[in-house]
Amino acid sequence: YFAASVWGSPDPNASGSLIKSWDSTVTSVERTAAARTDLPLLMDDTKTARNREEVANAVFKLSNGQGRGRGNIAGLQADKNFLNIVISTGEDPIVDINPHGGLAARILEISGPMFATQSNDFAIEIDQNKQNVFENYGFGGPEFVSFLIRNKDRWEDWRKERREIVEMMPRRQSNILNRLSNNMSVLW
């Protein structure tokens, strides 16, 4: 909920929510990604997918940034292109869906217990925070963009710093690690 609240409605039951269920067709995921290009795409609960292989197919398409080519008797449809960071939830790692290993090069997995503290008071605090973001959302993203625009003169410095971080990332014979290092540098 918190990640979605930066840009828009985090309520998955509300119209226009930024959180989309994995209980969607690959075409629906593609079209959502295209409509929200350059924004995070938040996908909830891989267990809700009707077919786990469709989740794997959607991840491949999302990481390639282009939907399936489509045409009909009248001609070709315009290609759907997108550039998103996808944040997904699920009880099991997405990389376990496809045994061929291609997903591992496209996913940065973060797993484990979400919170170290577990108590009734803490659960109440989480519920209060959730309610707060359901009532107050959509401010952080535009403020971040305004910050970037106000600091346009620093863009080249930030690019240089990011390149330096990429160079600091461990390099191995693994092509997968090398491909992920570019994305990991953003989180550093």
Side-chain angles (χ1 to χ4, degrees):
Y1 303 118
F2 296 102
S5 73
V6 172
W7 294 101
S9 174
D11 184 349
N13 298 316
S15 176
S17 173
L18 289 186
I19 299 175
K20 185 169 181 61
S21 171
W22 274 114
D23 183 19
S24 304
T25 65
V26 175
T27 301
S28 174
V29 173
E30 282 178 24
R31 290 181 179 174
T32 302
R36 298 178 185 169
T37 194
D38 298 319
L39 292 173
L41 180 61
L42 298 116
M43 301 296 297
D44 190 31
D45 200 357
T46 54
K47 289 265 189 204
T48 63
R50 291 185 184 173
N51 179 338
R52 290 172 50 85
E53 193 62 35
E54 282 193 5
V55 173
N57 289 340
V59 168
F60 280 109
K61 287 181 187 296
L62 291 168
S63 67
N64 290 333
Q66 186 172 22
R68 184 177 188 174
R70 292 180 173 86
N72 58 36
I73 193 110
L76 295 174
Q77 291 182 3
D79 287 339
K80 301 282 186 204
N81 296 304
F82 34 83
L83 179 63
N84 310 86
I85 291 176
V86 181
I87 300 173
S88 176
T89 65
E91 294 174 19
D92 299 320
I94 291 178
V95 294
D96 291 350
I97 294 173
N98 187 317
H100 304 298
L103 290 176
R106 292 163 171 81
I107 294 175
L108 202 57
E109 181 183 339
I110 301 170
S111 63
M114 291 193 327
F115 305 104
T117 303
Q118 295 185 2
S119 68
N120 190 43
D121 289 341
F122 189 65
I124 291 169
E125 183 180 342
I126 292 295
D127 284 341
Q128 289 171 340
N129 287 334
K130 179 179 166 184
Q131 188 59 40
N132 286 337
V133 298
F134 276 26
E135 294 171 3
N136 303 283
Y137 55 81
F139 304 108
E143 184 59 35
F144 176 67
V145 171
S146 293
F147 171 81
L148 292 175
I149 292 168
R150 285 191 313 269
N151 290 280
K152 191 172 184 175
D153 58 320
R154 297 174 61 192
W155 288 6
E156 192 51 44
D157 293 335
W158 292 336
R159 285 186 190 107
K160 181 181 178 209
E161 186 176 342
R162 182 170 179 267
R163 284 189 298 268
E164 290 170 359
I165 292 170
V166 170
E167 291 304 315
M168 288 182 352
M169 301 298 274
R171 297 289 183 175
R172 297 195 171 82
Q173 294 299 322
S174 170
N175 187 34
I176 292 173
L177 285 177
N178 292 338
R179 288 169 64 183
L180 289 175
S181 68
N182 199 37
N183 296 327
M184 290 168 44
S185 69
V186 174
L187 301 174
W188 189 277

